[in-house]
Amino acid sequence: MTPERYEKIRRVLSRRQPTLSVLMDEVNKPHNFSAILRTCDAVGVLTAHAVPPKSGALPTFDATSGSAHKWVAVRKHPDAVTAVRELQAGGVQVLATHLSQRSVDYREPNYTRPTCVLLGAEKWGVSDEAAALADANIVIPMFGMVQSLNVSVAAATILFEAQRQRLAAGMYEAPQLPPDKLDRLAFEWAYPDLAPGYRERGEPYPVLDERGQIIR
Ligand code: SAM
């Protein structure tokens, strides 16, 4: 671990936005899944949520991720409705990317609030049931011949609007993560081979100095 690498890890973690996430509902193409995670990393999403496609497993990561899967945790859910309810119970507004009577332009919502953007499967989109449950339905206006965007393009468009609003609100200036969580994640990112052993043994992570070296 070089001091420069450790400094970068802490800088990235100090800009993570634990109150911004996506929920991928059966996004099944690996290149889309990976591209969405890469955008999540760029915008500062800490944890992405995903409902695996009916085939069972989450899509495997491909080169499109640029290793983003190492820096963005993915939490699995059994289905979109359960996930939306759980997020809302935790005080998160869920914005479903869905065309309906109540859809609004994706730039209208306040993304400085705890927010999760619900993204649909490539073929079917977001289910009517999950969209009805969501706090709002949002769309990116389309003026062309084609009806929809690629899901990873839609995700990037919306997440960078969230980033724009959060930058304006100063949300990248001070860490959004509590200090103890930031320290824990810094150890896990800096020492990915050692961290699982400490967890398995139930031991606290070692203390690191400001250069990222283990001191005790
Ligand atoms: N036939 C599907 C439908 O009717 O919803 C098309 C799904 S689209 C290819 C896949 C996903 O990309 C959508 O579920 C949504 O998450 C996102 N998406 C695509 N175009 C969008 C747009 N104009 N506004 C918001 N989200 C969009």
Side-chain angles (χ1 to χ4, degrees):
M1 175 57 43
T2 64
E4 293 76 23
R5 174 85 172 161
Y6 186 64
E7 196 272 323
K8 180 173 182 183
I9 284 174
R10 291 203 70 97
R11 189 172 65 241
V12 168
L13 284 169
S14 75
R15 292 180 179 146
R16 278 296 192 248
Q17 304 286 304
T19 57
L20 179 64
S21 65
V22 295
L23 168 57
M24 296 177 266
D25 185 14
E26 299 195 37
V27 169
N28 60 75
K29 296 193 173 142
H31 61 272
N32 286 337
F33 194 84
S34 294
I36 292 168
L37 286 188
R38 191 169 181 161
T39 299
C40 284
D41 175 58
V43 167
V45 169
L46 183 71
T47 304
H49 301 265
V51 176
K54 295 275 179 287
S55 60
L58 288 177
T60 48
F61 304 107
D62 73 4
T64 326
S65 95
S67 84
H69 59 277
K70 291 189 201 159
W71 317 116
V72 180
V74 179
R75 237 195 91 196
K76 278 203 269 179
H77 296 266
D79 60 80
V81 167
T82 306
V84 171
R85 288 212 172 100
E86 190 188 314
L87 286 159
Q88 289 173 326
V92 174
Q93 65 168 345
V94 177
L95 307 177
T97 52
H98 187 69
L99 188 59
S100 71
Q101 295 280 7
R102 66 181 183 117
S103 299
V104 296
D105 185 295
Y106 76 102
R107 288 160 285 213
E108 273 188 35
N110 177 357
Y111 292 90
T112 65
R113 288 179 52 196
T115 301
C116 180
V117 178
L118 170 55
L119 301 158
E122 291 86 346
K123 208 161 184 176
W124 298 284
V126 170
S127 72
D128 289 340
E129 203 185 355
L133 203 58
D135 298 86
N137 289 182
I138 54 171
V139 283
I140 303 162
M142 305 279 295
F143 300 132
M145 298 288 285
V146 180
Q147 272 185 336
S148 65
L149 295 168
N150 168 280
V151 63
S152 68
V153 173
T157 305
I158 295 163
L159 285 174
F160 276 97
E161 169 61 12
Q163 188 207 57
R164 188 191 68 77
Q165 291 189 16
R166 284 172 174 244
L167 270 170
M171 293 175 77
Y172 291 90
E173 279 161 29
Q176 304 286 307
L177 285 167
D180 58 330
K181 183 153 192 195
L182 199 153
D183 287 344
R184 274 203 313 277
L185 286 168
F187 181 77
E188 289 171 7
W189 286 19
Y191 295 97
D193 298 335
L194 297 184
Y198 282 93
R199 287 199 299 275
E200 277 157 28
R201 295 190 297 275
E203 292 173 13
Y205 291 149
V207 176
L208 303 180
D209 68 14
E210 70 283 352
R211 296 158 60 85
Q213 304 308 305
I214 295 176
I215 47 178
R216 62 182 155 82

